[in-house]
Amino acid sequence: MPTTPRETFIQDHLRLPQYKSARQFDMLVNNVFKELKDAGLLTKDGWPELTIDARTEDATFKNLCPITDKIHDICIEWEKGHSKHFMDARRRTNSEINGGSPYDSLPDTADVSGPAEFKKLLSARGENEFKLAGNVGHTMANDPCRRFVIAFTIEDQEMRFWYFSRSHIAIGEAFDYHQNPMHFIRFVIFMTFANRAQLGYDPTIVPYSMVGKHPVWFQVNGKFYLSGIAAIDEESARDIVTRTTRVWGVEEVDPNTNLPINGDMLVLKDVWLFDDAKGEKAIQDDIFAQLRKLDVKVAERIAAGQSYADLGVDHYYPPPQTLETKARSYFLTIMEDEVVLIGSEQDVAPAPGQPCVPFVYVNVDRSATVLPPAVRGAGRSGVDGTPPQQPQPPTPQVAVHKARVHRRVIFREHCKRLDALFDYGDYTLAICQLLEGSSKFSPARGLCHRDISPGNVLFVKNEKGALQIKISDLEYARSYGAESSNGTPGYMAVEYQLLGHLFLPETLQPEPDDSNFDFENADELNTPVDEVKESPPWFRFNFLHDVESALWLYCSLLFHSLPSSANEKSVPSQSTAKVQELAKDLFGFALQATAPRSHFVMNVPQHNAAVGLLEPLYNLDEKYGPLLLQGLKTFKQLVQYYRSVEATEPVSVGSSFKWDSSAFKPFFIEICSAHSS
């Protein structure tokens, strides 16, 4: 596991800004060191009360308490002030006792500020790491107030310091705390006198206790918002190093009275994005600005009696409705979008628009030295009298961690995820709106969403029950041609999963006759996808990949929500079992495309055979069945456009290639016109 030098860790993560100079802090550390020796708690051999012997781990390490208590008392006397926290090595956290969450009491009190794990044996290091990661993961997942966590572990006589944040995990180089007691003293002083922000608590999020409830106050651009009792969505917060998207229902309140200002229920999204990701509002503004320009061009063409088809526009919207106003209906209304800036930690952008510096940590494991292969066993002078070659230190292993920016966004609309729609009619309408709305990322606008999935496609119904989808999570949208590494596996385009273009002219074969294809032969279905030997060594996410993701969303409904009539009319259970088995292959969570998934897109016989499994089940639904099956034809239409686009000559972009945006325009005009009608 990559580590960073102790001195670097202490400088980066254990600084107390209230000390104006390193010399001032060193004076305090030296004074504590001296008084600990005078009190007999520290000798030339280290900490006598922490000597590893036959005692149990609890009996051994509970003696940390008088040591930390003494450090605390010395610092109070020296500083003539008050400490902010105390260390208690005997305390067990709520999560250790019963797996409870901070919401069992107050949101930030169930777990200690700085967790630790102790083991008497060095061989138990892995177990310590596992327990610490679980403890910290629990804390950061359940407590929205935590931005990072500082911790330490002990195995035998070795101690390590840890720093867990949403952008990276830093581990200080292990040291012998008997031989190097000053490092431990510095750590205890920091944990005693650091304020809440320095210990990783976010001062812009404040727990607010109410009888029987535990909502949270959020501060965004100087305004205060009070959350509901629980988050709407915080699934991604379960991992430590992640974007940690949390979504809350909130209302703006007066901080002096705690009363709502206007009573409107809003939505707050709290997220940690890579520092090169633009904010959602900035991306929306770019889209709308491009559409305003396009509105002007279309109006000019119409006034001159000229066609506007080459602009990639499928329909003219006369004033007061415009392309821009039409597009706005497909996006969330953003009221606030803020970069949360606290202190000067590197994992927070120094200012909007300023790039963060990636973290670089070097593995400094010095447990062994390595001789060059040619001189292993050397150590004496050579026969020619030359000095012996000395062992060479191991080559450092460098780990680069990409910085993240903490953002908070306020939306007007209260929406639900697309997979909360269970009505066939509503779901089909939502997919049609999605396909039309995706045209707002079409070549005319130049953006690809890159992660069309159930969590990023939302819906809302107005007071009359009319459904409207909202395309969200735009932060990782990129211009066509940009390199990409985002997506949700079950809904990614097959080309994106394989990182290769599958329909280039060299790879096209005449469509085989599928009349005799036997779907019952599982070996045929799972035949590996033929290697595309002529595929160039480059790949770029394009507009059609977003459309394919939308179609996978459509297929997901068909394969996972079979008509109730299939059960009511006694369809053989083996028929539904085959559909369910195929669904596992099509919508698994492997990053690599499975053979059935690839064949569903590429291979006409196997696509038809898969659809053939659904037909007897959906034909029983007289209202929606035939219509739902017709929608699957869009997949074949998409494949034809893949072939059409990839048959054109790509253009050079630096050292890579891509197809000209104009190659995609006919498809968007056709498919968006079809699904909007």
Side-chain angles (χ1 to χ4, degrees):
M1 200 176 278
T3 57
T4 188
R6 291 183 302 275
E7 296 76 10
T8 302
F9 186 99
I10 291 172
Q11 174 63 25
D12 288 347
H13 305 300
L14 303 180
R15 291 173 294 170
L16 289 172
Q18 54 265 46
Y19 291 95
K20 298 180 180 179
S21 67
R23 182 174 176 274
Q24 183 184 10
F25 186 69
D26 287 342
M27 289 175 60
L28 173 60
V29 174
N30 290 328
N31 184 71
V32 171
F33 178 79
K34 179 178 181 300
E35 294 203 26
L36 287 172
K37 294 187 70 174
D38 292 344
L41 292 173
L42 185 60
T43 69
K44 63 181 180 63
D45 296 320
W47 310 92
E49 294 300 322
L50 295 181
T51 302
I52 304 297
D53 53 27
R55 292 174 294 176
T56 65
E57 288 171 349
D58 287 346
T60 300
F61 294 113
K62 74 177 183 180
N63 291 319
L64 277 170
C65 294
I67 294 173
T68 57
D69 289 346
K70 184 63 176 178
I71 295 174
H72 171 273
D73 294 341
I74 296 170
C75 291
I76 294 299
E77 179 65 25
W78 178 268
E79 291 295 296
K80 306 298 183 185
H82 299 284
S83 63
K84 298 180 180 294
H85 305 89
F86 68 95
M87 296 185 67
D88 186 352
R90 295 163 298 191
R91 179 175 179 184
R92 298 178 69 201
T93 66
N94 190 41
S95 59
E96 289 178 299
I97 296 170
N98 59 18
S101 78
Y103 297 104
D104 293 339
S105 53
L106 288 176
D108 64 336
T109 56
D111 291 310
V112 294
S113 300
E117 294 292 344
F118 313 104
K119 289 294 178 185
K120 291 176 61 176
L121 301 177
L122 190 60
S123 59
R125 170 178 282 193
E127 182 180 351
N128 250 5
E129 293 171 350
F130 180 81
K131 290 179 64 177
L132 182 66
N135 192 326
V136 173
H138 172 87
T139 299
M140 296 186 74
N142 287 280
D143 188 353
C145 302
R146 295 308 291 264
R147 300 171 55 250
F148 59 83
V149 172
I150 296 173
F152 72 95
T153 53
I154 292 177
E155 298 92 23
D156 192 9
Q157 297 185 174
E158 284 195 357
M159 177 177 285
R160 289 178 294 165
F161 301 142
W162 297 71
Y163 176 90
F164 297 86
S165 77
R166 295 304 185 183
S167 61
H168 69 289
I169 298 174
I171 309 170
E173 181 185 9
F175 65 95
D176 187 316
Y177 57 86
H178 288 294
Q179 297 179 10
N180 299 282
M182 299 292 265
H183 298 313
F184 180 55
I185 293 173
R186 286 176 177 271
F187 182 85
V188 175
I189 293 175
F190 173 83
M191 298 299 290
T192 301
F193 287 95
N195 60 36
R196 287 175 60 82
Q198 292 161 352
L199 288 176
Y201 291 93
D202 189 337
T204 66
I205 305 179
V206 181
Y208 178 67
S209 182
M210 299 170 62
V211 178
K213 302 178 181 179
H214 305 292
V216 181
W217 255 8
F218 292 91
Q219 186 175 345
V220 184
N221 284 333
K223 300 177 182 178
F224 293 86
Y225 298 87
L226 188 62
S227 78
I229 299 174
I232 297 173
D233 185 7
E234 53 181 351
E235 185 73 21
S236 69
R238 295 181 181 179
D239 297 323
I240 297 174
V241 179
T242 176
R243 60 187 295 174
T244 319
T245 303
R246 302 180 196 263
V247 181
W248 301 76
V250 298
E251 55 184 338
E252 186 180 356
V253 297
D254 184 324
N256 298 314
T257 64
N258 297 330
L259 296 176
I261 290 180
N262 52 32
D264 292 340
M265 289 303 299
L266 308 171
V267 173
L268 180 147
K269 181 171 74 173
D270 189 270
V271 61
W272 291 80
L273 301 174
F274 287 133
D275 67 317
D276 61 352
K278 295 178 67 175
E280 189 156 356
K281 187 175 187 306
I283 293 173
Q284 280 193 11
D285 290 344
D286 288 346
I287 293 171
F288 299 147
Q290 291 295 323
L291 290 172
R292 282 195 294 273
K293 294 178 181 178
L294 200 56
D295 276 320
V296 173
K297 291 181 180 179
V298 171
E300 291 175 347
R301 294 283 185 90
I302 292 175
Q306 300 173 350
S307 171
Y308 53 83
D310 62 308
L311 298 177
V313 178
D314 64 300
H315 184 72
Y316 171 64
Y317 299 97
Q321 192 174 39
T322 62
L323 288 170
E324 179 190 356
T325 57
K326 180 66 175 177
R328 285 184 181 274
S329 66
Y330 292 100
F331 299 103
L332 294 164
T333 305
I334 297 176
M335 304 178 68
E336 305 285 347
D337 188 350
E338 177 190 39
V339 175
V340 182
L341 299 175
I342 301 168
S344 58
E345 289 85 356
Q346 285 179 295
D347 61 337
V348 178
Q354 297 295 317
C356 294
V357 178
F359 298 92
V360 178
Y361 289 108
V362 178
N363 186 347
V364 292
D365 183 6
R366 302 189 180 99
S367 60
T369 55
V370 181
L371 282 171
V375 293
R376 286 178 183 162
R380 59 183 184 275
S381 298
V383 293
D384 57 356
T386 58
Q389 286 193 263
Q390 298 300 314
Q392 301 296 314
T395 302
Q397 174 187 357
V398 177
V400 179
H401 303 271
K402 195 170 183 180
R404 290 183 181 268
V405 173
H406 189 188
R407 301 193 78 102
R408 220 166 268 155
V409 189
I410 300 290
F411 302 103
R412 182 181 299 281
E413 297 88 355
H414 258 268
C415 300
K416 294 183 179 180
R417 291 164 51 109
L418 182 64
D419 50 12
L421 267 179
F422 299 106
D423 179 83
Y424 286 136
D426 282 347
Y427 198 96
T428 304
L429 174 61
I431 296 298
C432 290
Q433 288 188 7
L434 174 59
L435 289 168
E436 183 188 10
S438 295
S439 71
K440 311 315 171 188
F441 295 99
S442 72
R445 271 59 73 196
L447 283 176
C448 300
H449 186 285
R450 306 195 307 167
D451 191 12
I452 297 292
S453 59
N456 297 336
V457 180
L458 312 176
F459 74 91
V460 64
K461 291 187 176 182
N462 62 21
E463 61 278 2
K464 296 182 180 180
L467 181 141
Q468 176 62 55
I469 66 108
K470 301 286 182 178
I471 302 172
S472 69
D473 281 17
L474 308 181
E475 296 94 346
Y476 289 112
R478 292 290 185 275
S479 299
Y480 165 52
E483 293 187 6
S484 177
S485 59
N486 288 83
T488 303
Y491 306 95
M492 292 167 69
V494 170
E495 284 195 340
Y496 190 22
Q497 288 183 298
L498 298 175
L499 295 180
H501 298 293
L502 305 179
F503 301 98
L504 297 170
E506 294 82 359
T507 66
L508 292 181
Q509 301 293 332
E511 292 186 0
D513 180 11
D514 62 322
S515 57
N516 297 318
F517 183 79
D518 181 12
F519 185 85
E520 300 297 329
N521 190 331
D523 291 335
E524 279 191 73
L525 176 67
N526 290 284
T527 301
V529 181
D530 294 333
E531 183 180 359
V532 186
K533 297 181 179 180
E534 300 298 324
S535 184
W538 51 267
F539 174 81
R540 289 293 183 269
F541 194 103
N542 63 51
F543 312 105
L544 297 182
H545 297 137
D546 275 340
V547 174
E548 185 179 331
S549 292
L551 295 180
W552 282 117
L553 280 173
Y554 182 71
C555 289
S556 178
L557 173 78
L558 299 188
F559 279 92
H560 290 113
S561 301
L562 299 178
S564 58
S565 54
N567 296 321
E568 296 169 357
K569 298 186 179 181
S570 302
V571 173
S573 59
Q574 60 195 36
S575 297
T576 58
K578 290 176 183 177
V579 172
Q580 293 166 355
E581 192 64 30
L582 180 57
K584 294 178 182 178
D585 291 327
L586 293 179
F587 299 97
F589 290 94
L591 288 177
Q592 293 295 323
T594 61
R597 185 179 177 86
S598 302
H599 289 146
F600 191 84
V601 176
M602 298 173 60
N603 190 300
V604 173
Q606 297 193 35
H607 175 90
N608 290 345
V611 173
L613 276 180
L614 297 173
E615 285 180 340
L617 304 178
Y618 277 93
N619 283 335
L620 296 175
D621 187 325
E622 298 177 359
K623 182 177 181 181
Y624 289 117
L627 176 63
L628 292 170
L629 293 172
Q630 284 292 318
L632 290 174
K633 292 184 177 180
T634 308
F635 250 113
K636 293 184 178 180
Q637 183 184 4
L638 174 66
V639 168
Q640 292 304 316
Y641 272 94
Y642 271 130
R643 290 174 173 165
S644 175
V645 169
E646 294 181 19
T648 63
E649 187 71 21
V651 296
S652 175
V653 181
S655 59
S656 186
F657 300 87
K658 70 174 185 178
W659 288 282
D660 190 271
S661 295
S662 61
F664 298 92
K665 290 179 181 179
F667 172 78
F668 274 93
I669 292 176
E670 180 177 336
I671 196 169
C672 296
S673 298
H675 288 86
S676 63
S677 56

